[in-house]
């Protein structure tokens, strides 16, 4: 498996076989262009924060639903653990952001005008 990974070209294809002391020359892959979908990012901080909040709520709800499905026997233990860990990580990130916002507010409120 690792042998196949070592032969990958930075251009998306497979490079030729390289012997000892030789320098690998990348072989460009000719074909269809990359069709990577790009997301449009919000232009202001409020919209970004709102979108992040909605994503966090969705992750937390998904974790709850998967945990309930696990209790009912409709989800595997691995699925439950993954969903709960994702929900926990999201909650910890939300708490950290809240703490930073509160600290920034307190610092601003202490400034003299």
């Amino acid at each position: 498996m690792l042998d196949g990974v070592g032969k990958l070209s930075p251009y998306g294809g497979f490079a030729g076989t390289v012997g000892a002391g030789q320098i690998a020359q990348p072989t460009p892959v000719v074909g269809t262009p990359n069709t990577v979908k790009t997301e449009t990012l919000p232009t202001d901080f409020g919209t970004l924060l709102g979108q992040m909040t909605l994503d966090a709520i969705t992750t937390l709800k998904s974790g709850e639903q998967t945990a309930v499905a696990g209790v009912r026997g409709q989800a595997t233990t691995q699925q439950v653990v993954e969903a709960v860990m994702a929900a926990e990580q999201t909650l910890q990130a939300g708490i950290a952001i809240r703490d930073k916002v509160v600290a920034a507010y307190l610092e601003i409120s202490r400034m003299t005008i």
Side-chain angles (χ1 to χ4, degrees), residues 33-93:
N34 291 338
T35 55
V36 177
K37 293 184 179 180
T38 58
E39 295 181 19
T40 56
L41 296 176
T43 56
D44 61 287
F45 182 71
T47 305
L48 177 68
L49 196 58
Q51 182 179 359
M52 288 176 56
T53 304
L54 291 176
D55 290 344
I57 291 170
T58 302
T59 302
L60 292 172
K61 284 183 179 181
S62 173
E64 275 185 19
Q65 291 172 350
T66 306
V68 170
V71 170
R72 292 182 181 159
Q74 299 170 345
T76 65
T77 305
Q78 180 180 356
Q79 291 171 333
V80 172
V81 169
E82 287 174 353
V84 169
M85 294 292 287
E88 181 182 4
Q89 184 178 14
T90 300
L91 182 62
Q92 288 176 353

Side-chain angles (χ1 to χ4, degrees), residues 6-32:
K7 295 179 184 176
L8 286 175
S9 168
Y11 295 103
F14 288 95
T17 307
V18 178
Q22 293 179 340
I23 298 174
Q25 296 296 323
T27 55
V29 177
V30 179
T32 60

